[in-house]
Amino acid sequence: MRILKFGGTSVGSESAIRQVLKLITEKQKEDRIQVVVSAFGGVTNTLEEMVSDASAGRDEYRKQLKKVEQRHVDMVRTLIGVQGQSSVLTELKVLFNELEDVLHGVSLTHELTGRTHDFVLGFGERLSAFVLSAALQEQGIDAEYVDARSIIKTNADFGNARVLTTETTQNIREYFENRDTVGVVTGFIASTETGETTTLGRGGSDYTASLIGAALDADAIEIWTDVEGIMTADPRKVERHLPIQKLSYEEAMELSHFGAEVIYPPTVYPAMSASIPIYIKNTFKPESPGTVINREPADISTNVKGISSIDEVTLITLKGSGMIGVSGFAARIFSVLADAGVNIIMITQASSEHTVCFAVMPRQAPQAIQSLKTNFSFELKEGMIDEIKEESNCSIVAAVGEGMKHTPGISGRLFRALGRNGINVRAIAQGSSERNISVVVKKKDLSKTLNTIHDAFFLSKIKSVNLFLVGVGLIGNKVLELFEKQAELLFKEHNIAFNLCGIANSRYYKIEQKGMPFTGWPERLEEDGKPMDLQTFLDEAGELNLPNSLFIDCTASSEVADFYPEVMRANFSVVTANKKANSGTLHHYQALQELALKHNVMYLYETNVGAGLPVVKTLKEQVLAGDKITKIEGVLSGTLSYIFNTYDGETPFSEVVRTALEKGFTEPDPREDLNGRDVARKLLILCREAGIEVEMSDLTVENLVPESAREADSVEDFFEKLSDFDDEFKKRYDKAASNGHRLCYIASYEDGEATVSLEEIDDEHPFSGLSGSDNIIAFHTQHYRDTPLVVKGPGAGAEVTAGGILADILRISNVPAFSNEVV
Ligand code: ADP
Ligand code: ASP
Ligand code: MG
């Protein structure tokens, strides 16, 4: 014997019902079966609306009623041949007249009792079971409509009635004992001992099936629905959900208790008591294995099996020193709440006993608060309880799995993932069974919480990193080009999926949750981008609620740099090639570092100095390893490196600069390179990274642009003026050469002095062999005392800079080769 339960979605449309008919026809050939059915999809909700409209005196219910009636009549007409139709339609008419009378009565009296409410809601199942049984008979199957009210008996808690198990079990056995028919039983409804209609709670048809299965000692209870079994998370909320093949009864109970509506929580219990497996199957894909729930020991290889959520709860906290060490305090709280009919979903108590915190459904919160205040009025007056606090708009998320037992590190992993994504946890509970960890978060964080935990446990093999890139100039474009080239390989070899979810230049932005191609920018922005505004861009990016969100700054804009604090507060990690933020005031630099720490985000800017060369990283690691930096020296400008590596005293200096411009080595106006400001910014950043507290004004910078050329109106005019100084540069060159030295524009820090200037260096100097446009940085430290630690190589250009940005992104994304973290 098998019990087949078909949910609302399986009987929601003509094609769905045909599929159900086909399944039943096949199954009843193989085995004895009984069928339980829900109302047609959406009908129970419509009945709720109708009865509430009627009780409020709103006439809309009539129109709704007509629609529901029409839907059932249409179904009969398509499923049943002409001869059979009229008797079925007559029976339907009787039911609808009865329903109309009740609703009319409600609308006249404006009174809605729980009794009437349940009576109205029960029509959905009475109608659907009746239509389905007639359709089966039409197919030649010996089917019989069974009204569960005659066999399932409950108390009179309308809306959520409790089953009287002994009597019900006996009734079920007696009823089905000597019958060969295929019963089509109304799910969800039952009756009191005096015969009044009750309901088993929304979603209760699953429970009906389990009760019947347990009473008849069936071989299986099959729940047929619209998903291929129970998933690792609600498929509507977590796009990357995966199917679960096996669950223990306990796991299924926990998942459903915490909101996985695919199975109604009380369903598990009767099946478990009778050791009957429950199968969750997809009506529309019967060949797919679905999920089996049984007693088999848990598959320990996956410690967390699934994640579920209750979207809206209210958190109530009692705080006060009067609770410390007073035995029976918690018991009193719970008995007060039980007397008030308040159902507690989750409880936590601080070990200091200073606070007790619990979650309830929002509609029960006022009742809970009221009864606590009344019953604890003495303690409140005497100050033993400071306050009873209510926090609404919260959600509970639970991670469930037998394998979590005795496995250390699960909660660490969970909270680490939440922390990394800036999700604030309001309360925590771990069941003593260790089968469940639940956290309460703000409702606005729900989607991110679910996705973050899901990724941390199920997709730890595949991680998605969501990129929001600002600046689509030379460097931005190179970064995108690199992604286009590398994304597939990174996915294959490192299981990281990079999604470009946001992109902007100074004029337009675009945001797309599902990700956008890496190519075709900035043209795509011009086509249909929205007008750019940093705050709007960030707000929209934040609203996507995506874990692992990265903000990448490929601009040189101060406005963008000034905005990093907002970005970090919104829990985005920042990768930047823009030097402006770190070379502003020391206060701003330090504030950014602190903010990153506070919001648990990463802030990386390797390309601020030496483009893609590992300069900042090397320095940071030395400092972390306890090394002390005694001296920093560097050629930090590719342009100036090229100019002085090329200048030989023969070709006039201004000509060398002009060639550099023509080769694209300089800024469009070479004065921006020659004035040394950019080099100074880099030195400032290096000093700060080494722990030296300096401001820009502390630096001595030699400006190589002669004073008279500084104000020149155009670049041409500037060259003209510069040529007047060709002799002067030659003199400096010759003087150096006569000592066997060469010229080098060096940034250095030593003994509290930070300078940027043109220096003479000898053959022994580590920079003497420098060529082309290479950068070089020498760190003299306590560990590197005799010869310095030197980093050398191309330190300018879009390509190497983009490479450096990508390396920072990979570091944040935890790509193993780049990661400093232990997962
Ligand atoms: P039925 O009408 O068949 O009883 P329900 O709507 O009650 O169907 O339950 C099925 C729905 O439960 C699915 O469509 C899915 O959206 C939702 N659901 C929530 N959590 C889960 C989960 N963990 N696995 C599968 N489905 C889930
Ligand atoms: N039709 C009822 C409901 O929508 C029962 C069920 O579907 O299980 O809640
Ligand atoms: Mg259901």
Side-chain angles (χ1 to χ4, degrees), residues 780-817:
H780 301 257
T781 74
Q782 270 171 1
H783 296 173
Y784 294 89
R785 216 171 344 209
D786 301 331
T787 37
L789 170 65
V790 173
V791 183
K792 179 182 162 207
E799 208 147 343
V800 284
T801 305
I805 292 173
L806 184 60
D808 273 350
I809 294 173
L810 297 180
R811 212 168 286 144
I812 293 188
S813 316
N814 250 342
V815 171

mmCIF file of all heavy atoms in Angstrom, residues 780-817:
data_model
loop_
_atom_site.group_PDB
_atom_site.id
_atom_site.type_symbol
_atom_site.label_atom_id
_atom_site.label_comp_id
_atom_site.label_asym_id
_atom_site.label_seq_id
_atom_site.Cartn_x
_atom_site.Cartn_y
_atom_site.Cartn_z
ATOM 1 N N HIS A 780 65.415 48.599 3.002
ATOM 2 C CA HIS A 780 66.462 48.270 3.974
ATOM 3 C C HIS A 780 65.762 48.043 5.303
ATOM 4 O O HIS A 780 65.024 48.921 5.762
ATOM 5 C CB HIS A 780 67.437 49.439 4.115
ATOM 6 C CG HIS A 780 68.099 49.791 2.807
ATOM 7 N ND1 HIS A 780 69.379 49.436 2.505
ATOM 8 C CD2 HIS A 780 67.625 50.457 1.723
ATOM 9 C CE1 HIS A 780 69.683 49.881 1.288
ATOM 10 N NE2 HIS A 780 68.630 50.503 0.790
ATOM 11 N N THR A 781 65.981 46.881 5.848
ATOM 12 C CA THR A 781 65.245 46.555 7.076
ATOM 13 C C THR A 781 66.176 45.894 8.068
ATOM 14 O O THR A 781 67.332 45.615 7.745
ATOM 15 C CB THR A 781 64.096 45.567 6.779
ATOM 16 O OG1 THR A 781 64.677 44.277 6.556
ATOM 17 C CG2 THR A 781 63.291 45.967 5.567
ATOM 18 N N GLN A 782 65.648 45.614 9.238
ATOM 19 C CA GLN A 782 66.492 44.911 10.212
ATOM 20 C C GLN A 782 66.851 43.517 9.710
ATOM 21 O O GLN A 782 67.944 43.038 9.912
ATOM 22 C CB GLN A 782 65.770 44.838 11.550
ATOM 23 C CG GLN A 782 66.102 46.028 12.403
ATOM 24 C CD GLN A 782 65.258 46.117 13.649
ATOM 25 O OE1 GLN A 782 64.404 45.269 13.903
ATOM 26 N NE2 GLN A 782 65.493 47.148 14.430
ATOM 27 N N HIS A 783 65.891 42.870 9.041
ATOM 28 C CA HIS A 783 66.193 41.540 8.503
ATOM 29 C C HIS A 783 67.066 41.622 7.256
ATOM 30 O O HIS A 783 67.889 40.768 7.004
ATOM 31 C CB HIS A 783 64.895 40.785 8.166
ATOM 32 C CG HIS A 783 64.056 40.505 9.373
ATOM 33 N ND1 HIS A 783 62.796 39.975 9.286
ATOM 34 C CD2 HIS A 783 64.310 40.684 10.697
ATOM 35 C CE1 HIS A 783 62.284 39.861 10.508
ATOM 36 N NE2 HIS A 783 63.189 40.274 11.369
ATOM 37 N N TYR A 784 66.862 42.642 6.443
ATOM 38 C CA TYR A 784 67.665 42.821 5.222
ATOM 39 C C TYR A 784 68.624 43.974 5.464
ATOM 40 O O TYR A 784 68.416 45.086 5.016
ATOM 41 C CB TYR A 784 66.765 43.116 4.023
ATOM 42 C CG TYR A 784 65.880 41.945 3.649
ATOM 43 C CD1 TYR A 784 64.625 41.781 4.213
ATOM 44 C CD2 TYR A 784 66.323 40.993 2.731
ATOM 45 C CE1 TYR A 784 63.821 40.697 3.893
ATOM 46 C CE2 TYR A 784 65.524 39.902 2.397
ATOM 47 C CZ TYR A 784 64.275 39.762 2.986
ATOM 48 O OH TYR A 784 63.495 38.692 2.661
ATOM 49 N N ARG A 785 69.661 43.683 6.207
ATOM 50 C CA ARG A 785 70.549 44.746 6.671
ATOM 51 C C ARG A 785 71.681 45.008 5.681
ATOM 52 O O ARG A 785 71.932 46.122 5.295
ATOM 53 C CB ARG A 785 71.161 44.341 8.011
ATOM 54 C CG ARG A 785 71.332 45.508 8.971
ATOM 55 C CD ARG A 785 71.719 44.979 10.327
ATOM 56 N NE ARG A 785 71.422 43.546 10.347
ATOM 57 C CZ ARG A 785 71.094 42.852 11.432
ATOM 58 N NH1 ARG A 785 71.053 43.413 12.586
ATOM 59 N NH2 ARG A 785 70.835 41.575 11.370
ATOM 60 N N ASP A 786 72.323 43.914 5.207
ATOM 61 C CA ASP A 786 73.519 44.099 4.377
ATOM 62 C C ASP A 786 73.153 44.454 2.948
ATOM 63 O O ASP A 786 73.639 45.434 2.397
ATOM 64 C CB ASP A 786 74.370 42.836 4.430
ATOM 65 C CG ASP A 786 74.769 42.545 5.884
ATOM 66 O OD1 ASP A 786 74.869 43.543 6.645
ATOM 67 O OD2 ASP A 786 74.930 41.369 6.242
ATOM 68 N N THR A 787 72.301 43.617 2.363
ATOM 69 C CA THR A 787 71.761 44.017 1.052
ATOM 70 C C THR A 787 70.259 44.164 1.223
ATOM 71 O O THR A 787 69.625 43.365 1.923
ATOM 72 C CB THR A 787 72.044 42.957 -0.031
ATOM 73 O OG1 THR A 787 71.918 41.684 0.576
ATOM 74 C CG2 THR A 787 73.388 43.137 -0.648
ATOM 75 N N PRO A 788 69.706 45.175 0.562
ATOM 76 C CA PRO A 788 68.275 45.409 0.759
ATOM 77 C C PRO A 788 67.426 44.393 0.000
ATOM 78 O O PRO A 788 67.916 43.699 -0.886
ATOM 79 C CB PRO A 788 68.077 46.806 0.182
ATOM 80 C CG PRO A 788 69.175 46.955 -0.830
ATOM 81 C CD PRO A 788 70.338 46.160 -0.323
ATOM 82 N N LEU A 789 66.172 44.339 0.387
ATOM 83 C CA LEU A 789 65.180 43.542 -0.339
ATOM 84 C C LEU A 789 64.719 44.403 -1.506
ATOM 85 O O LEU A 789 64.231 45.510 -1.312
ATOM 86 C CB LEU A 789 64.014 43.228 0.606
ATOM 87 C CG LEU A 789 62.762 42.621 -0.005
ATOM 88 C CD1 LEU A 789 63.048 41.244 -0.573
ATOM 89 C CD2 LEU A 789 61.661 42.495 1.055
ATOM 90 N N VAL A 790 64.942 43.881 -2.727
ATOM 91 C CA VAL A 790 64.678 44.713 -3.903
ATOM 92 C C VAL A 790 63.561 44.136 -4.761
ATOM 93 O O VAL A 790 63.515 42.936 -5.014
ATOM 94 C CB VAL A 790 65.969 44.840 -4.763
ATOM 95 C CG1 VAL A 790 65.677 45.544 -6.076
ATOM 96 C CG2 VAL A 790 67.040 45.581 -3.988
ATOM 97 N N VAL A 791 62.658 45.001 -5.169
ATOM 98 C CA VAL A 791 61.629 44.598 -6.133
ATOM 99 C C VAL A 791 61.849 45.442 -7.372
ATOM 100 O O VAL A 791 61.962 46.661 -7.285
ATOM 101 C CB VAL A 791 60.212 44.862 -5.579
ATOM 102 C CG1 VAL A 791 59.158 44.369 -6.560
ATOM 103 C CG2 VAL A 791 60.023 44.218 -4.217
ATOM 104 N N LYS A 792 61.953 44.779 -8.520
ATOM 105 C CA LYS A 792 62.287 45.538 -9.727
ATOM 106 C C LYS A 792 61.516 45.003 -10.922
ATOM 107 O O LYS A 792 61.261 43.798 -11.012
ATOM 108 C CB LYS A 792 63.793 45.403 -9.966
ATOM 109 C CG LYS A 792 64.284 46.118 -11.193
ATOM 110 C CD LYS A 792 65.784 45.882 -11.372
ATOM 111 C CE LYS A 792 66.142 46.220 -12.814
ATOM 112 N NZ LYS A 792 67.277 45.507 -13.307
ATOM 113 N N GLY A 793 61.154 45.884 -11.832
ATOM 114 C CA GLY A 793 60.469 45.445 -13.042
ATOM 115 C C GLY A 793 59.623 46.566 -13.603
ATOM 116 O O GLY A 793 59.622 47.675 -13.068
ATOM 117 N N PRO A 794 58.907 46.268 -14.695
ATOM 118 C CA PRO A 794 58.074 47.314 -15.297
ATOM 119 C C PRO A 794 57.049 47.812 -14.282
ATOM 120 O O PRO A 794 56.308 47.012 -13.723
ATOM 121 C CB PRO A 794 57.384 46.611 -16.460
ATOM 122 C CG PRO A 794 58.178 45.377 -16.701
ATOM 123 C CD PRO A 794 58.808 44.993 -15.403
ATOM 124 N N GLY A 795 57.049 49.110 -14.069
ATOM 125 C CA GLY A 795 56.182 49.638 -13.019
ATOM 126 C C GLY A 795 55.168 50.621 -13.532
ATOM 127 O O GLY A 795 54.648 51.439 -12.787
ATOM 128 N N ALA A 796 54.881 50.546 -14.823
ATOM 129 C CA ALA A 796 53.862 51.420 -15.389
ATOM 130 C C ALA A 796 53.246 50.729 -16.587
ATOM 131 O O ALA A 796 53.790 49.753 -17.093
ATOM 132 C CB ALA A 796 54.479 52.750 -15.822
ATOM 133 N N GLY A 797 52.092 51.219 -17.027
ATOM 134 C CA GLY A 797 51.435 50.647 -18.195
ATOM 135 C C GLY A 797 50.132 49.986 -17.790
ATOM 136 O O GLY A 797 50.020 49.405 -16.712
ATOM 137 N N ALA A 798 49.177 50.099 -18.702
ATOM 138 C CA ALA A 798 47.825 49.611 -18.402
ATOM 139 C C ALA A 798 47.818 48.102 -18.170
ATOM 140 O O ALA A 798 47.136 47.598 -17.289
ATOM 141 C CB ALA A 798 46.893 49.974 -19.542
ATOM 142 N N GLU A 799 48.630 47.396 -18.962
ATOM 143 C CA GLU A 799 48.571 45.943 -18.878
ATOM 144 C C GLU A 799 49.036 45.411 -17.526
ATOM 145 O O GLU A 799 48.346 44.617 -16.893
ATOM 146 C CB GLU A 799 49.450 45.355 -19.985
ATOM 147 C CG GLU A 799 48.968 44.027 -20.420
ATOM 148 C CD GLU A 799 49.232 43.828 -21.914
ATOM 149 O OE1 GLU A 799 49.481 44.813 -22.641
ATOM 150 O OE2 GLU A 799 49.214 42.681 -22.323
ATOM 151 N N VAL A 800 50.212 45.890 -17.083
ATOM 152 C CA VAL A 800 50.705 45.389 -15.798
ATOM 153 C C VAL A 800 49.839 45.887 -14.643
ATOM 154 O O VAL A 800 49.643 45.182 -13.646
ATOM 155 C CB VAL A 800 52.200 45.729 -15.551
ATOM 156 C CG1 VAL A 800 53.071 44.829 -16.381
ATOM 157 C CG2 VAL A 800 52.511 47.182 -15.803
ATOM 158 N N THR A 801 49.298 47.100 -14.806
ATOM 159 C CA THR A 801 48.421 47.601 -13.751
ATOM 160 C C THR A 801 47.178 46.720 -13.646
ATOM 161 O O THR A 801 46.763 46.321 -12.550
ATOM 162 C CB THR A 801 48.016 49.063 -14.037
ATOM 163 O OG1 THR A 801 49.203 49.824 -14.197
ATOM 164 C CG2 THR A 801 47.197 49.639 -12.904
ATOM 165 N N ALA A 802 46.589 46.395 -14.808
ATOM 166 C CA ALA A 802 45.398 45.538 -14.799
ATOM 167 C C ALA A 802 45.722 44.188 -14.165
ATOM 168 O O ALA A 802 44.932 43.649 -13.391
ATOM 169 C CB ALA A 802 44.880 45.357 -16.215
ATOM 170 N N GLY A 803 46.914 43.675 -14.471
ATOM 171 C CA GLY A 803 47.333 42.403 -13.872
ATOM 172 C C GLY A 803 47.385 42.509 -12.357
ATOM 173 O O GLY A 803 46.974 41.602 -11.639
ATOM 174 N N GLY A 804 47.895 43.649 -11.875
ATOM 175 C CA GLY A 804 47.972 43.869 -10.432
ATOM 176 C C GLY A 804 46.584 43.944 -9.812
ATOM 177 O O GLY A 804 46.353 43.420 -8.712
ATOM 178 N N ILE A 805 45.670 44.582 -10.512
ATOM 179 C CA ILE A 805 44.297 44.675 -9.987
ATOM 180 C C ILE A 805 43.679 43.286 -9.918
ATOM 181 O O ILE A 805 43.066 42.907 -8.920
ATOM 182 C CB ILE A 805 43.448 45.611 -10.885
ATOM 183 C CG1 ILE A 805 43.962 47.044 -10.746
ATOM 184 C CG2 ILE A 805 41.976 45.526 -10.521
ATOM 185 C CD1 ILE A 805 43.323 48.024 -11.687
ATOM 186 N N LEU A 806 43.880 42.520 -10.962
ATOM 187 C CA LEU A 806 43.332 41.159 -10.967
ATOM 188 C C LEU A 806 43.915 40.345 -9.802
ATOM 189 O O LEU A 806 43.203 39.616 -9.118
ATOM 190 C CB LEU A 806 43.602 40.472 -12.310
ATOM 191 C CG LEU A 806 42.977 39.093 -12.450
ATOM 192 C CD1 LEU A 806 41.470 39.152 -12.315
ATOM 193 C CD2 LEU A 806 43.324 38.465 -13.798
ATOM 194 N N ALA A 807 45.210 40.523 -9.573
ATOM 195 C CA ALA A 807 45.838 39.779 -8.463
ATOM 196 C C ALA A 807 45.191 40.153 -7.131
ATOM 197 O O ALA A 807 44.930 39.293 -6.294
ATOM 198 C CB ALA A 807 47.335 40.059 -8.424
ATOM 199 N N ASP A 808 44.899 41.439 -6.939
ATOM 200 C CA ASP A 808 44.208 41.864 -5.711
ATOM 201 C C ASP A 808 42.826 41.222 -5.625
ATOM 202 O O ASP A 808 42.402 40.766 -4.560
ATOM 203 C CB ASP A 808 44.038 43.392 -5.698
ATOM 204 C CG ASP A 808 45.261 44.106 -5.110
ATOM 205 O OD1 ASP A 808 46.133 43.413 -4.545
ATOM 206 O OD2 ASP A 808 45.328 45.348 -5.219
ATOM 207 N N ILE A 809 42.138 41.198 -6.747
ATOM 208 C CA ILE A 809 40.788 40.615 -6.760
ATOM 209 C C ILE A 809 40.860 39.126 -6.406
ATOM 210 O O ILE A 809 40.066 38.621 -5.624
ATOM 211 C CB ILE A 809 40.115 40.831 -8.142
ATOM 212 C CG1 ILE A 809 39.879 42.320 -8.370
ATOM 213 C CG2 ILE A 809 38.809 40.058 -8.238
ATOM 214 C CD1 ILE A 809 39.379 42.677 -9.755
ATOM 215 N N LEU A 810 41.840 38.447 -6.953
ATOM 216 C CA LEU A 810 41.988 37.011 -6.664
ATOM 217 C C LEU A 810 42.325 36.779 -5.197
ATOM 218 O O LEU A 810 41.878 35.824 -4.583
ATOM 219 C CB LEU A 810 43.066 36.393 -7.553
ATOM 220 C CG LEU A 810 42.770 36.425 -9.052
ATOM 221 C CD1 LEU A 810 43.910 35.797 -9.838
ATOM 222 C CD2 LEU A 810 41.470 35.712 -9.366
ATOM 223 N N ARG A 811 43.091 37.701 -4.648
ATOM 224 C CA ARG A 811 43.456 37.576 -3.235
ATOM 225 C C ARG A 811 42.193 37.693 -2.369
ATOM 226 O O ARG A 811 41.969 36.904 -1.463
ATOM 227 C CB ARG A 811 44.441 38.688 -2.880
ATOM 228 C CG ARG A 811 45.436 38.298 -1.834
ATOM 229 C CD ARG A 811 46.546 39.325 -1.749
ATOM 230 N NE ARG A 811 47.467 39.231 -2.871
ATOM 231 C CZ ARG A 811 48.052 40.278 -3.450
ATOM 232 N NH1 ARG A 811 47.789 41.513 -3.045
ATOM 233 N NH2 ARG A 811 48.885 40.105 -4.439
ATOM 234 N N ILE A 812 41.376 38.668 -2.694
ATOM 235 C CA ILE A 812 40.130 38.839 -1.925
ATOM 236 C C ILE A 812 39.211 37.647 -2.131
ATOM 237 O O ILE A 812 38.521 37.205 -1.225
ATOM 238 C CB ILE A 812 39.403 40.133 -2.360
ATOM 239 C CG1 ILE A 812 40.228 41.342 -1.967
ATOM 240 C CG2 ILE A 812 38.013 40.193 -1.724
ATOM 241 C CD1 ILE A 812 39.546 42.663 -2.172
ATOM 242 N N SER A 813 39.230 37.116 -3.352
ATOM 243 C CA SER A 813 38.305 36.022 -3.653
ATOM 244 C C SER A 813 38.763 34.698 -3.087
ATOM 245 O O SER A 813 38.139 33.679 -3.314
ATOM 246 C CB SER A 813 38.160 35.872 -5.161
ATOM 247 O OG SER A 813 38.016 37.117 -5.756
ATOM 248 N N ASN A 814 39.899 34.728 -2.391
ATOM 249 C CA ASN A 814 40.368 33.510 -1.763
ATOM 250 C C ASN A 814 40.833 32.450 -2.738
ATOM 251 O O ASN A 814 40.686 31.264 -2.469
ATOM 252 C CB ASN A 814 39.256 32.887 -0.925
ATOM 253 C CG ASN A 814 39.565 33.017 0.533
ATOM 254 O OD1 ASN A 814 40.716 33.251 0.876
ATOM 255 N ND2 ASN A 814 38.562 32.863 1.364
ATOM 256 N N VAL A 815 41.299 32.851 -3.892
ATOM 257 C CA VAL A 815 41.873 31.865 -4.801
ATOM 258 C C VAL A 815 43.094 31.294 -4.078
ATOM 259 O O VAL A 815 43.947 32.056 -3.623
ATOM 260 C CB VAL A 815 42.297 32.522 -6.132
ATOM 261 C CG1 VAL A 815 43.078 31.549 -6.992
ATOM 262 C CG2 VAL A 815 41.052 32.995 -6.865
ATOM 263 N N PRO A 816 43.140 29.966 -3.916
ATOM 264 C CA PRO A 816 44.136 29.392 -3.011
ATOM 265 C C PRO A 816 45.543 29.948 -3.179
ATOM 266 O O PRO A 816 46.183 30.328 -2.207
ATOM 267 C CB PRO A 816 44.072 27.903 -3.339
ATOM 268 C CG PRO A 816 42.680 27.704 -3.835
ATOM 269 C CD PRO A 816 42.305 28.968 -4.540
ATOM 270 N N ALA A 817 45.999 30.072 -4.401
ATOM 271 C CA ALA A 817 47.375 30.500 -4.605
ATOM 272 C C ALA A 817 47.605 31.923 -4.098
ATOM 273 O O ALA A 817 48.717 32.313 -3.816
ATOM 274 C CB ALA A 817 47.724 30.423 -6.075
#
